[in-house]
Amino acid sequence: MKTNALPPVVDAGTWQRELDALRAREKAATRELDAIAAQRRRLPMVEMPGYVLEGEDGPLRLADVFDGKRQLIVYNHMWFPGEEWQCAGCTGFSSQFTRTEFLDSYDARFVVVTQGPIDEALAYKRRVGNAMPWYSTANSPFGADVGAGPGEGFALNVFLRDGDTVYRTWHTSGRGIEQLTHTFALIDVLPYGRQEEWQDSPDGWPQSPTYSGWPSSQDIAARYGPA
């Protein structure tokens, strides 16, 4: 939605005072996120069964998905059987991660797991230009056991490996995924923000139905997929 609405114009001193007041809240939020991360590091964990998933080279154990690393982040991508275009939110989220090698320094890996059969999942990965490693849990209860079974939503889980034994250490879904994406962080610093109806914005600010500004899976494929 286009608009001519503008923030009020003030002198530099007034602007700095307003910014300083906001900055105090931003710093408090940062410290709270640090405290939350500290609590997350102290969570207990639960041992996982010996799941077998499917990858590009065939079946493999969940412990082997770590590819020698000790820590593993798994994004459970929604899957709709028989559909050409899968969840736009999942497609858009996972399309952001094109360079995850920095995780090597932290003995960690980040992968996608979906309920789709592996051949269909890999074909979709190529269609939308996704750069992440993909695995299938179509023939395993793994997805259902971590909050992302057939017909269910997306999820993000973190695992720790000790030898061949895998433990589940953290889980989130819904808006909990936002802390792992840079897209909303960038959009939220813009004067007009996400421009969605649910957001608290000044009168006259552009606002549209929730999700209406999100790219479709077709958009993602056009931007990142094969020419």
Side-chain angles (χ1 to χ4, degrees):
M1 179 187 297
K2 299 294 185 180
T3 182
N4 292 321
L6 298 171
V9 178
V10 297
D11 62 85
T14 300
W15 179 82
Q16 188 64 55
R17 286 192 296 273
E18 295 282 350
L19 178 63
D20 290 344
L22 175 62
R23 183 62 46 77
R25 295 188 66 185
E26 291 173 340
K27 293 299 183 183
T30 297
R31 289 190 290 271
E32 177 62 12
L33 288 174
D34 288 342
I36 290 170
Q39 182 177 351
R40 186 183 298 117
R41 289 190 293 273
R42 288 166 173 79
L43 280 175
M45 59 186 184
V46 61
E47 184 175 344
M48 304 298 285
Y51 299 105
V52 174
L53 280 63
E54 293 182 78
E56 193 162 5
D57 296 323
L60 75 171
R61 303 173 306 162
L62 177 60
D64 295 326
V65 176
F66 285 72
D67 196 27
K69 308 293 192 299
R70 291 206 64 199
Q71 302 175 103
L72 178 70
I73 304 168
V74 171
Y75 182 73
N76 295 94
H77 195 297
M78 293 175 66
W79 189 267
F80 304 102
E83 296 293 329
E84 179 182 7
W85 300 106
Q86 298 299 326
C87 170
C90 291
T91 303
F93 172 81
S94 56
S95 71
Q96 302 170 51
F97 302 102
T98 59
R99 297 178 179 177
T100 60
E101 291 81 7
F102 69 92
L103 289 171
D104 292 346
S105 299
Y106 297 89
D107 202 13
R109 193 176 189 222
F110 187 15
V111 305
V112 169
V113 172
T114 186
Q115 289 289 339
I118 188 61
D119 290 346
E120 295 180 26
L122 292 175
Y124 186 72
K125 161 186 159 76
R126 291 188 291 269
R127 186 180 311 132
V128 297
N130 192 286
M132 295 182 68
W134 281 52
Y135 298 89
S136 170
T137 183
N139 299 312
S140 163
F142 171 74
D145 290 350
V146 298
E152 296 180 351
F154 60 91
L156 188 134
N157 288 275
V158 180
F159 303 93
L160 179 66
R161 182 180 62 84
D162 184 20
D164 287 335
T165 304
V166 176
Y167 300 90
R168 188 186 187 194
T169 66
W170 189 65
H171 165 267
T172 193
S173 59
R175 293 193 65 195
I177 301 293
E178 286 187 12
Q179 64 181 288
L180 304 169
T181 171
H182 65 262
T183 54
F184 290 125
L186 288 172
I187 295 168
D188 283 343
V189 301
L190 297 173
Y192 295 137
R194 302 187 198 184
Q195 303 177 42
E196 296 189 354
E197 292 173 337
W198 63 271
Q199 288 198 294
D200 180 0
S201 297
D203 290 342
W205 253 228
Q207 288 187 300
S208 300
T210 302
Y211 310 130
S212 60
W214 293 23
S216 67
S217 298
Q218 295 94 318
D219 293 332
I220 298 296
R223 293 171 185 173
Y224 308 124

